[in-house]
Amino acid sequence: MLWNLFEVAVQVGLLYVPLVLGIYLAMGVMSLPDLTLQGSFGIGGSVAAVLAVHGHHPVVGLLAAMAAGAACGLVTATLHLLLRLNVLLASILVATAAYSVCLVVMSSGNLSLAGAKTAFSWADGTDLSFRTATIVTGGGVALVLSVAFLWFLRTEYGLSLVAAGQNIQTARGLGVRTERRQAAGLAVANALGALTGGLVVHNQGFMDVTIQNGVIVIALAAMMVGLTLTRSPRVGPTVAMLVVGVVVYRFAVAGALQLGLNPNLLQLITAGLVIAMIGVRSHARATLRSATAAGRRDRRVAQARFYEEDRVASFI
């Protein structure tokens, strides 16, 4: 049973690797609370589904899905940079609008891909099972994107993007056009989210407009699991653990459902898992040190410093 659960976790988890990398780029690298990824996931799925039904090559459909997702990211960047809207508010607006865009693209709330050629149809003439074909395809996509992601962040442009996310004032002082970096980063992140949407739709054989609901929390949970597994400041181990985190999260979900967990509680438990992972990363070491008087003093000082430095940015 454990091996079967592991196969299911790998099969589903690898398809979500692009989305997790996109969330890590937006929130972890650029420090932008971008929720557009939820809308990009849905738009990517709808575009890929429509093109598959109309007989286009699966690669064309996935590339078009990525372009549509990148466009969503650029819309969020435009609202943020030109109208000076808070990124969170701008992304909520775009994600909300994306729901209607999905309905317009599909001309309905759902669309079946029965008989259409998908990214996994290459295995139809072989002895490979559908699960194996999914793992091979998802693994190939995850590997290529992970290598490309590492290469991108190590380029001069990628390093300037990282600098803009860590300290935007310093980056501007060094002559970095941070507004362009933010726009490009949001476009890339949402293109990755749309790719996952396309892959998931191709894999399950239908597109339903509701599949995007809650996908941000799922990807955040997978990301936090991966980040908890490593403390390395280097990008390579971090990206590797993000991939592992997706599989671990899907394994936990599959195991919980196998043990009889009420599916209606899945989103609640996922949200709780995100909170728990953040708590472990932020407070586990300090909690252990609280056993000593010096540790308790340091924790009070850190908490007081947080209260003093905490600022609530204008929402609009």
Side-chain angles (χ1 to χ4, degrees):
M1 185 182 74
L2 287 179
W3 178 251
N4 183 63
L5 291 177
F6 177 74
E7 283 188 327
V8 171
V10 174
Q11 175 188 356
V12 179
L14 290 176
L15 301 180
Y16 281 84
V17 169
L19 176 62
V20 173
L21 291 178
I23 287 185
Y24 176 70
L25 177 61
M27 299 186 181
V29 175
M30 297 191 301
S31 302
L32 296 176
D34 180 32
L35 302 184
T36 316
L37 286 145
Q38 177 165 302
S40 298
F41 180 93
I43 285 183
S46 61
V47 170
V50 169
L51 292 180
V53 168
H54 284 81
H56 292 277
H57 195 279
V59 175
V60 174
L62 293 177
L63 290 177
M66 293 180 69
C72 292
L74 289 176
V75 171
T76 298
T78 301
L79 293 176
H80 171 56
L81 297 172
L82 295 186
L83 298 185
R84 292 179 287 183
L85 284 180
N86 181 284
V87 173
L88 180 60
L89 176 58
S91 64
I92 291 174
L93 294 174
V94 176
T96 302
Y99 189 92
S100 295
V101 174
C102 290
L103 294 174
V104 172
V105 170
M106 296 189 298
S107 300
S108 65
N110 52 71
L111 186 64
S112 174
L113 273 65
K117 189 175 182 180
T118 69
F120 308 93
S121 299
W122 60 268
D124 290 345
T126 67
D127 295 331
L128 295 178
S129 65
F130 183 72
R131 175 177 294 180
T132 303
T134 301
I135 293 175
V136 171
T137 303
V141 171
L143 178 61
V144 171
L145 286 181
S146 297
V147 172
F149 192 79
L150 287 174
W151 171 82
F152 173 68
L153 290 183
R154 288 172 177 171
T155 62
E156 183 177 350
Y157 194 93
L159 290 174
S160 65
L161 191 147
V162 173
Q166 291 184 346
N167 194 318
I168 193 169
Q169 287 80 14
T170 300
R172 286 173 178 166
L174 295 174
V176 176
R177 297 293 298 271
T178 56
E179 66 279 3
R180 294 183 180 179
R181 301 301 189 273
Q182 289 179 339
L186 289 175
V188 172
N190 283 276
L192 293 173
L195 175 58
T196 287
L199 288 172
V200 169
V201 167
H202 277 198
N203 185 253
Q204 64 187 15
F206 69 93
M207 165 62 188
D208 189 283
V209 72
T210 61
I211 67 169
Q212 58 188 303
N213 295 341
V215 73
I216 281 287
V217 179
I218 294 174
L220 274 175
M223 183 183 75
M224 294 311 303
V225 170
L227 293 179
T228 304
L229 295 176
T230 179
R231 287 286 182 176
S232 175
R234 295 184 299 168
V235 179
T238 299
V239 172
M241 286 302 102
L242 288 177
V243 176
V244 173
V246 179
V247 176
V248 170
Y249 168 73
R250 298 309 310 189
F251 181 83
V253 170
L257 294 176
Q258 184 71 28
L259 293 175
L261 173 70
N262 186 349
N264 295 329
L265 299 177
L266 187 58
Q267 296 286 3
L268 175 63
I269 293 176
T270 299
L273 178 63
V274 173
I275 296 173
M277 291 297 101
I278 293 175
V280 169
R281 281 180 55 82
S282 302
H283 301 287
R285 188 174 300 178
T287 301
L288 292 176
R289 292 185 59 200
S290 296
T292 65
R296 289 191 293 271
R297 183 176 62 254
D298 292 342
R299 188 172 185 180
R300 287 195 297 269
V301 170
Q303 193 71 33
R305 186 181 299 114
F306 168 78
Y307 291 147
E308 293 172 359
E309 297 176 353
D310 183 37
R311 295 291 183 272
V312 179
S314 174
F315 193 61
I316 57 175

